Amino acid sequence: MPELPEVETARRGIAPHLIDRTVQEVVIRQPRLRWPIPARLGKELPGQRITEVERRAKYLLIRLQQGTLILHLGMSGSLRLLPATTTAQIHDHFDLVLSDGCCLRLRDPRRFGAVLWTRKDPLRHALLRSLGPEPLDSAFNGECLYQWASKRHTAIKNLIMDQRVVVGVGNIYANEALFMAGIHPARSCRRIARKRYLRLTDAIKTVLTAAIEAGGTTLRDFRSADGKPGYFAQELQVYGKEGLACPACGNQLKTLRIGQRASVYCPRCQR
DNA sequence: AATCGCGCCTGACGGC
DNA sequence: TGCCGTCAGGCGCGAT
């Protein structure tokens, strides 16, 4: 599923093919995503030149001359660049057709994704304005996480998955980072020493950086018709590995449910 | 005010 | 074989 590393990989893959191109047409086959795709895109976008492709948290920001397209891939969304003549398949909900004959196509079987449009500063959009720091930014560090923890009463895994605290840490990477830092996912965020927060922020940065690098392999194949998965899956230590041996100590990995989400951890290594 | 848990969706998978 | 129930999960929002 698209976590922050995949969204960043997608951004890097599509940006060179979008920047300085002009939108020729917008195709909306299924407007019912998480929120309806605004019908006015069909009138407002054609003729506008794309100036920049950015990412904020898991949102892609495609900046045009007179506004910004805000994309979210939800659980199952993917983007491809195809010749505009390529026949759309099931779940291909949205196309941005460019004047050079290329087409950015959004496919999203579960439709948890979003395509939104704003003429204002997208960073002040209701969905983006309360987001916390980017995990790879220096503003996200052990001290800031420790400060957050001192104000909250929740499991550490909930804290690092809270978008106001830090963005882009989904379930997979929360599990991985907590394993790497040796912290039990259900531990109260109040009962973790300042020093361990430094270790945890380092782990989050390390695992996300490695995943972006692994996603970079997908980058090369990005234009192919069958978008291949990145290689980060084979680097996972605990996620989806309940019952298997801990890669560090050999103990059996266990699963807990925290906030409706599976949390896999090693009872010996993570305290 | 902070925290919890629901519900949106489809496809994969397991049990009978 | 085929049907049906369950699970997966980001994230806004309503309930507590």
Side-chain angles (χ1 to χ4, degrees):
Chain A
M1 72 224 51
E3 298 259 355
L4 185 144
E6 284 188 42
V7 178
E8 177 59 22
T9 299
R11 189 194 69 76
R12 294 177 186 183
I14 64 176
H17 303 280
L18 298 188
I19 291 171
D20 287 337
R21 267 57 162 201
T22 299
V23 176
Q24 183 172 75
E25 188 191 359
V26 170
V27 181
I28 302 171
R29 297 188 193 79
Q30 166 60 279
R32 301 189 57 185
L33 302 190
R34 180 169 190 126
W35 297 280
I37 301 177
R40 68 181 190 279
L41 292 185
K43 290 195 172 181
E44 297 210 19
L45 269 58
Q48 288 203 47
R49 181 169 49 82
I50 296 168
T51 58
E52 193 53 74
V53 181
E54 298 167 2
R55 178 187 60 73
R56 174 71 174 108
K58 295 179 190 171
Y59 295 92
L60 281 171
L61 307 177
I62 301 179
R63 292 187 185 265
L64 292 97
Q65 289 167 297
Q66 306 288 339
T68 303
L69 206 51
I70 302 174
L71 302 187
H72 197 288
L73 300 177
M75 287 291 307
S76 58
S78 61
L79 290 168
R80 294 207 196 136
L81 282 159
L82 303 159
T85 50
T86 309
T87 307
Q89 298 186 339
I90 187 167
H91 307 312
D92 285 344
H93 306 313
F94 175 83
D95 285 356
L96 199 62
V97 183
L98 307 174
S99 49
D100 64 358
C102 246
C103 159
L104 180 71
R105 181 164 286 171
L106 172 68
R107 180 184 150 96
D108 185 5
R110 294 185 198 177
R111 291 196 268 129
F112 281 12
V115 178
L116 299 170
W117 171 249
T118 180
R119 286 184 168 268
K120 300 175 189 167
D121 177 0
L123 301 180
R124 294 198 176 151
H125 189 281
L127 292 173
L128 280 79
R129 69 181 168 217
S130 301
L131 295 174
E134 288 287 326
L136 301 181
D137 195 285
S138 60
F140 175 64
N141 53 50
E143 191 55 32
C144 101
L145 196 54
Y146 181 76
Q147 290 304 321
W148 269 107
S150 70
K151 308 175 220 163
R152 299 285 298 272
H153 286 96
T154 194
I156 183 58
K157 182 154 177 276
N158 288 336
L159 186 75
I160 62 175
M161 291 180 69
D162 186 328
Q163 302 230 39
R164 293 165 298 179
V165 175
V166 59
V167 300
V169 182
N171 193 41
I172 294 175
Y173 294 111
N175 279 300
E176 294 297 311
L178 288 165
F179 173 74
M180 191 179 285
I183 299 172
H184 193 293
R187 173 170 282 273
S188 163
C189 66
R190 295 271 184 121
R191 306 203 32 95
I192 297 174
R194 192 182 293 239
K195 256 180 107 172
R196 299 184 81 197
Y197 273 110
L198 180 61
R199 193 166 171 216
L200 179 56
T201 51
D202 283 351
I204 290 170
K205 288 169 192 281
T206 299
V207 73
L208 289 175
T209 301
I212 290 172
E213 283 169 18
T217 308
T218 303
L219 204 56
R220 284 180 225 144
D221 305 315
F222 202 82
R223 300 182 78 180
S224 72
D226 58 338
K228 290 173 185 165
Y231 288 120
F232 70 87
Q234 65 201 45
E235 293 176 30
L236 296 178
Q237 305 289 296
V238 292
Y239 180 81
K241 299 193 184 291
E242 178 186 17
L244 299 182
C246 166
C249 77
N251 250 34
Q252 200 178 39
L253 297 175
K254 300 291 181 196
T255 295
L256 268 177
R257 293 197 74 81
I258 301 172
Q260 322 305 104
R261 294 175 185 93
S263 307
V264 189
Y265 70 105
C266 172
R268 184 187 284 180
C269 296
Q270 293 174 257
R271 300 297 175 126

